[in-house]
Amino acid sequence: MSRHVTFMTIDDAAHYSVEQRAAIVAAYPEHEREARARGIPVLGSGRIFPVAEALIACEPFRLPRYWPRIGALDFGWDHPSAAIELAWDTEADVVYVTKAARASQQTPAMQALTLKPWGEWLPFAWPRDGRRETLEGAGVALARQYQAHGLNMLSRHAQFPDGSVSVEAGLMEMLDRMQSGRFKVFSTLGDWFEEFRLFHRKDGQVVKLRDDLMAATRYRKLTLAYVSGAGSLPTAASGIWLMFDRAGDKGADGLGAGDFVGPASSVADNMVTFAGTTGKVGKDSGIKATDLIAGPASAVADNIATFNGTTGKIAKDSGVAVSSLAPKASPTFTGTPAAPTAAPGTNTTQVATTGFVKSAIDLVLGGVSAAFDTLAEIAAAMMQKAADNTGITAGFTSTAVNDGTKSSGTYAPSPLGGNLRYISNGGAFTLAAPSQVGDYSMVIQIANSATAGAVAFSGFAVALGGSALTTTNGSKFNLYITKLNGAVTGNIEALQ
């Protein structure tokens, strides 16, 4: 006889609509939804962390180099040994579980082979049972055994500043971070989430079964309190140096192996730089802090700094605000800005100065006198009086201007643009005398349409010649207008 187990999720219940399934899932407590809707095993009633996995899981990402990182160990044999790596975003105060390893019946040497690739520099926190001298280690404390195989073990077991190792305090701190969004776990750490789901209490007590990674994670709170020298997590920017400030820790062997060392002698107040790639040896850089640039005791915010002397080491407030400078894009200039003047004939996107414009205009004018160097002067010269044109013998031609249909209002013709003009009489309107200054003659041809009306004259006398000005459809008339010595006269000639 064989046995088969089939897992079904609420999505397999096709007799419910999508909306009904969503409503059923929403009715469960958040931390029970994975179990009730997806069949993921959890112990919900006594669960220590009643938090949905989606609230703490995140996709793996490349860790910034300046984030503090630390490892944590939980020792075991038949009861598995476990290790995790944690990274701390000190700016947002978010702790990430980034690596996890769990194995049974492995010696410290074997576990060290697994964990050293995480980084031989990585410091590891450990619980107080690491002080226990085991038979397997021939009377050597567990922590020292791991140290002997190359793991960078902290010199003391994980503890709060007061020396306590309260399990409940550590668990509550983890829960508080989970619920406030300040605790994240890489979603690829399946073993960690397996323990997270099964981590529970019975009769109010934590069940010590498959809790190894949870225990290692809990030591993180004790460890960060140890390395920071305080019971609360510091938020200052200097927190990124906590991995190097271990309150006098000299390694598990007490000999200071791997500690930062400097030269036998150096110049007072000189800065220290690294003397190699290991990061463990320093040297005298030969540069004093006083060699660096120094600024004034106070300055105006956002003003530009300039040098206060020829040494280049002392700065001063220039008194010029960054906001007072013209931007590169669409600047607004004030005063009298200057620019290079391009050569005449330049046709590029270069800025044109007043000098360039004047040269271009002079080139067009071709060296005419100052009396004819504007359009107004040129136009006035072209509108000469009739007496000035007596020398014209060959005559001239022009194109008549169509002034359109006039059916109401007043039409005042102007010689500007042409002295020969024509209109269509489409209704009664008034024809006023031209008002353009000077003496001139004009000819206006009037063609009657089917709706032609009577034409009234205003401002000048009109003499009729031939037939009278009628409104007969199709009739045409020439109106000759002369303005001479300020007087305007008109004469009408019937064409048909």
Side-chain angles (χ1 to χ4, degrees):
M1 179 182 294
S2 62
R3 177 179 297 177
H4 174 74
V5 178
T6 299
F7 285 95
M8 295 183 65
T9 72
I10 194 170
D11 295 325
D12 296 312
H15 58 286
Y16 289 123
S17 67
V18 175
E19 293 77 11
Q20 289 173 325
R21 292 197 292 269
I24 292 171
V25 173
Y28 296 129
E30 187 174 6
H31 64 279
E32 295 181 8
R33 291 174 186 171
E34 288 99 341
R36 295 185 177 273
R38 309 294 174 211
I40 299 175
V42 294
L43 300 177
S45 61
R47 192 169 181 180
I48 293 177
F49 300 129
V51 177
E53 291 183 22
L55 185 63
I56 63 173
C58 70
E59 290 300 311
F61 59 91
R62 188 179 184 86
L63 299 176
R65 293 177 61 86
Y66 58 87
W67 280 12
R69 290 157 64 181
I70 195 166
L73 281 165
D74 184 55
F75 302 123
W77 183 252
D78 292 324
H79 193 288
S81 294
I84 61 165
E85 181 195 64
L86 299 118
W88 183 15
D89 179 356
T90 56
E91 295 178 353
D93 190 19
V94 178
V95 174
Y96 292 83
V97 180
T98 58
K99 294 184 180 70
R102 185 179 64 190
S104 299
Q105 299 183 356
Q106 279 198 354
T107 64
M110 293 301 296
Q111 291 187 57
L113 289 176
T114 300
L115 302 179
K116 286 171 67 176
W118 293 6
E120 294 191 14
W121 58 269
L122 184 68
F124 274 89
W126 45 276
R128 61 182 172 184
D129 63 358
R131 300 177 302 179
R132 179 165 50 90
E133 297 175 352
T134 64
L135 292 177
E136 296 87 347
V140 180
L142 274 172
R144 287 181 176 267
Q145 293 182 49
Y146 281 85
Q147 177 78 27
H149 290 292
L151 285 190
N152 185 16
M153 307 291 283
L154 296 180
S155 61
R156 291 183 293 173
H157 65 80
Q159 57 186 284
F160 289 108
D162 60 3
S164 66
V165 290
S166 171
V167 173
E168 291 298 332
L171 294 178
M172 289 305 101
E173 191 272 344
M174 288 176 62
L175 178 58
D176 176 67
R177 281 186 165 274
M178 290 178 185
Q179 292 177 333
S180 61
R182 295 177 297 124
F183 184 91
K184 301 293 182 181
V185 183
F186 280 6
S187 59
T188 52
L189 305 182
D191 289 343
W192 193 97
F193 280 104
E194 177 190 11
E195 289 192 13
F196 171 78
R197 298 174 190 130
L198 300 175
F199 198 31
H200 68 288
R201 300 178 188 273
K202 184 176 182 181
D203 299 328
Q205 301 297 316
V206 176
V207 176
K208 304 293 290 182
L209 179 65
R210 303 290 283 182
D211 68 332
D212 312 285
L213 291 171
M214 295 297 101
T217 306
R218 176 170 54 83
Y219 300 149
R220 174 203 56 80
K221 168 64 177 176
L222 307 180
T223 301
L224 290 179
Y226 165 68
V227 297
S228 65
S232 60
L233 301 181
T235 57
S238 60
I240 63 175
W241 301 106
L242 289 181
M243 293 301 99
F244 303 98
D245 182 12
R246 300 194 296 171
D249 183 23
K250 292 185 178 300
D253 59 2
L255 300 178
D259 286 356
F260 187 88
V261 297
S265 63
S266 62
V267 177
D269 297 327
N270 274 10
M271 292 184 291
V272 180
T273 54
F274 289 114
T277 59
T278 64
K280 298 178 181 180
V281 182
K283 67 179 181 179
D284 186 332
S285 66
I287 300 174
K288 290 185 174 63
T290 55
D291 292 333
L292 303 180
I293 187 170
S298 63
V300 177
D302 298 326
N303 272 13
I304 298 172
T306 55
F307 289 115
N308 186 23
T310 58
T311 63
K313 296 179 181 180
I314 302 176
K316 66 178 181 179
D317 186 333
S318 66
V320 178
V322 174
S323 58
S324 68
L325 303 181
K328 182 178 179 180
S330 303
T332 300
F333 297 117
T334 58
T336 308
T341 298
T346 300
N347 184 17
T348 67
T349 58
Q350 181 179 350
V351 174
T353 64
T354 55
F356 175 81
V357 174
K358 181 65 168 59
S359 297
I361 293 176
D362 290 345
L363 184 64
V364 172
L365 295 176
V368 298
S369 67
F372 299 99
D373 62 356
T374 68
L375 293 177
E377 291 170 345
I378 295 173
M382 294 176 67
M383 297 291 294
Q384 297 182 40
K385 295 180 180 180
D388 297 329
N389 295 325
T390 55
I392 297 178
T393 58
F396 61 89
T397 62
S398 177
T399 301
V401 179
N402 183 1
D403 282 341
T405 300
K406 309 300 177 183
S407 57
S408 64
T410 300
Y411 167 51
S414 171
L416 297 181
N419 294 64
L420 304 179
R421 315 183 83 84
Y422 62 95
I423 63 172
S424 174
N425 183 351
F429 67 95
T430 299
L431 199 157
S435 60
Q436 179 66 34
V437 297
D439 296 333
Y440 47 83
S441 296
M442 295 182 66
V443 179
I444 300 175
Q445 187 179 92
I446 303 172
N448 290 340
S449 68
T451 60
V455 178
F457 295 93
S458 173
F460 66 110
V462 178
L464 299 178
S467 302
L469 180 63
T470 69
T471 59
T472 304
N473 184 25
S475 295
K476 290 185 178 180
F477 307 89
N478 278 347
L479 170 61
Y480 301 97
I481 300 176
T482 301
K483 184 179 180 185
L484 182 60
N485 198 25
V488 179
T489 59
N491 184 60
I492 290 181
E493 175 188 5
L495 302 178
Q496 62 181 39

